[in-house]
Amino acid sequence: MILWIAHITIIGFFTFIIWVTLGAFKLKPFQQLILSLGILLLVNTTLEDISPLLNTITDFAAGGKKFEMPVQGEITKTYDPPHHHGIDIAIPEGTPIRAQADGKVIKAQWDNIYGQVVIVEYQNGLQALYAHNRDILVKEGYPVVKGTKIAYSGNTGRSTGPHLHYEIRIKGKAVNPFLHIK
Ligand SMILES: [Zn+2]
């Protein structure tokens, strides 16, 4: 919702600026209309590209960093796109992985790379991915509350030792998880 308001405000602002700027060129009305629409389309495409950033900003506006670390353990690999889209936290196999807030399970399945993987969608479209689990305890579509046990950690998929691979995604794109962790 907040993201929508931000988007519409920004698009409205750009539309106004484009219209006023083009007005200075004294174009024919239909030229001004077509040029405005073209530029707006460009701006909107750019907005899509920066939407993770936008979402982070609106997220801060909505109360800032919400999440605790998903589990306690040593961070053995940090966020380093395009090589690594999340963080690795070394934990013993069988450590409970719990929902970090209220939300909904949008993926709970096997993946050749992520192994037994769970993705939970929280507020503002923020998604968290928990990978390489031994056992998944939830199903797609399940609602969760903060603290719901969603998996037992493991060493499945492309993994070289027991750990949790943790990602935060916005609209399916991985972002720096530390922007959202206290
Ligand atoms: Zn990883």
Side-chain angles (χ1 to χ4, degrees):
M1 184 61 193
I2 294 163
L3 187 66
W4 264 100
I5 294 167
H7 256 105
I8 289 167
T9 309
I10 290 166
I11 289 169
F13 175 73
F14 274 111
T15 310
F16 178 73
I17 296 293
I18 292 162
W19 192 261
V20 169
T21 308
L22 288 178
F25 293 99
K26 305 208 183 318
L27 302 166
K28 293 189 176 96
F30 78 92
Q31 287 175 323
Q32 191 172 356
L33 183 69
I34 285 170
L35 257 176
S36 292
L37 287 176
I39 294 170
L40 197 61
L41 201 72
L42 258 175
V43 169
N44 201 31
T45 312
T46 314
L47 273 182
E48 273 299 305
D49 287 341
I50 63 164
S51 67
L53 179 71
L54 254 182
N55 205 317
T56 300
I57 294 167
T58 49
D59 195 41
F60 271 111
K65 300 180 177 189
K66 286 197 258 330
F67 297 151
E68 312 283 338
M69 282 291 279
V71 287
Q72 292 305 314
E74 190 194 340
I75 294 173
T76 51
K77 206 172 182 189
T78 192
Y79 176 73
D80 180 26
H83 312 291
H84 196 233
H85 291 97
I87 54 174
D88 289 350
I89 308 165
I91 41 170
E93 226 178 291
T95 304
I97 308 294
R98 295 175 185 278
Q100 294 166 278
D102 297 356
K104 184 179 164 190
V105 177
I106 58 164
K107 193 179 258 186
Q109 64 176 52
W110 170 262
D111 179 278
N112 286 336
I113 292 166
Y114 288 119
Q116 300 288 6
V117 61
V118 178
I119 301 179
V120 178
E121 184 160 303
Y122 298 115
Q123 297 162 312
N124 274 2
L126 212 69
Q127 300 166 353
L129 176 147
Y130 309 86
H132 309 303
N133 300 297
R134 186 185 68 195
D135 309 296
I136 294 177
L137 306 174
V138 288
K139 287 195 161 73
E140 275 176 33
Y142 272 30
V144 292
V145 294
K146 188 176 180 179
T148 300
K149 232 188 259 183
I150 55 174
Y152 287 117
S153 74
N155 187 22
T156 57
R158 197 183 292 167
S159 173
T160 53
H163 76 284
L164 170 69
H165 171 94
Y166 174 72
E167 288 181 19
I168 290 198
R169 295 177 170 185
I170 293 170
K171 289 187 178 173
K173 283 184 194 164
V175 298
N176 187 344
F178 291 114
L179 291 173
H180 300 277
I181 296 171
K182 286 176 196 163

